[in-house]
């Protein structure tokens, strides 16, 4: 069974940076598309970034494009989210998610890590 554990959240001032990590436990990490979602209080969970299992193609929400970078280390079975130029509106619980191969849905989720950006 796949388990995802996020880390790296915290409190940072606007304009600062944080790097989130998501440790994957299970088999065939290199066949999973990995993604980061976030959910702010009173709002729905929204997509932030994803990195594919084949060739490592990336995708970003417009709200984070140019500021966030998603990457993966298949040897360490870890995915990262480098967040730069943080804004108060980036404050949210950030969730790591995994989707196997060509499946449509993200079936595995972490417990989330809190990111708070002060103005």
């Amino acid at each position: 069974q796949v388990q995802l554990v996020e880390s790296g959240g915290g409190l940072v001032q606007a304009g600062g940076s944080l790097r989130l990590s998501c440790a994957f436990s299970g088999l065939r990490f290199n066949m999973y598309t990995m993604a980061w979602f976030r959910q702010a209080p009173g709002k729905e969970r929204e997509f932030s970034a994803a990195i594919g299992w084949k060739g490592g193609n990336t995708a970003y929400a417009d709200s984070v494009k140019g500021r966030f970078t998603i990457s993966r280390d298949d040897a360490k079975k870890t995915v990262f989210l480098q967040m730069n130029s943080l804004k108060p509106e980036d404050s949210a619980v950030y969730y790591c998610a995994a989707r196997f191969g060509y499946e449509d849905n993200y079936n595995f989720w972490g417990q989330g890590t809190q990111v708070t950006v002060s103005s």
Side-chain angles (χ1 to χ4, degrees):
Q1 182 71 319
V2 170
Q3 290 189 324
L4 305 173
V5 178
E6 304 97 333
S7 61
L11 174 64
V12 63
Q13 288 189 333
S17 298
L18 280 175
R19 189 192 195 205
L20 304 183
S21 299
C22 173
F24 175 104
S25 61
L27 300 176
R28 296 184 289 181
F29 173 72
N30 62 344
M31 292 188 68
Y32 282 83
T33 292
M34 301 299 296
W36 289 94
F37 289 75
R38 67 186 185 184
Q39 186 168 21
K43 295 188 177 181
E44 293 188 354
R45 188 176 299 186
E46 64 177 17
F47 168 81
S48 292
I51 185 164
W53 63 278
K54 205 171 184 181
N57 293 333
T58 58
Y60 297 93
D62 288 343
S63 58
V64 307
K65 199 172 294 182
R67 300 186 298 121
F68 290 12
T69 303
I70 189 170
S71 60
R72 64 189 295 159
D73 184 333
D74 285 356
K76 295 183 178 180
K77 296 200 288 187
T78 303
V79 63
F80 305 98
L81 186 67
Q82 178 67 44
M83 306 186 294
N84 298 329
S85 303
L86 283 162
K87 306 174 182 179
E89 51 264 44
D90 293 319
S91 297
V93 177
Y94 282 73
Y95 296 92
C96 178
R99 186 181 77 199
F100 181 75
Y102 294 107
E103 293 181 355
D104 292 332
N105 299 318
Y106 288 94
N107 292 317
F108 302 100
W109 294 83
Q111 81 289 349
T113 186
Q114 177 71 48
V115 171
T116 303
V117 184
S118 63
S119 57

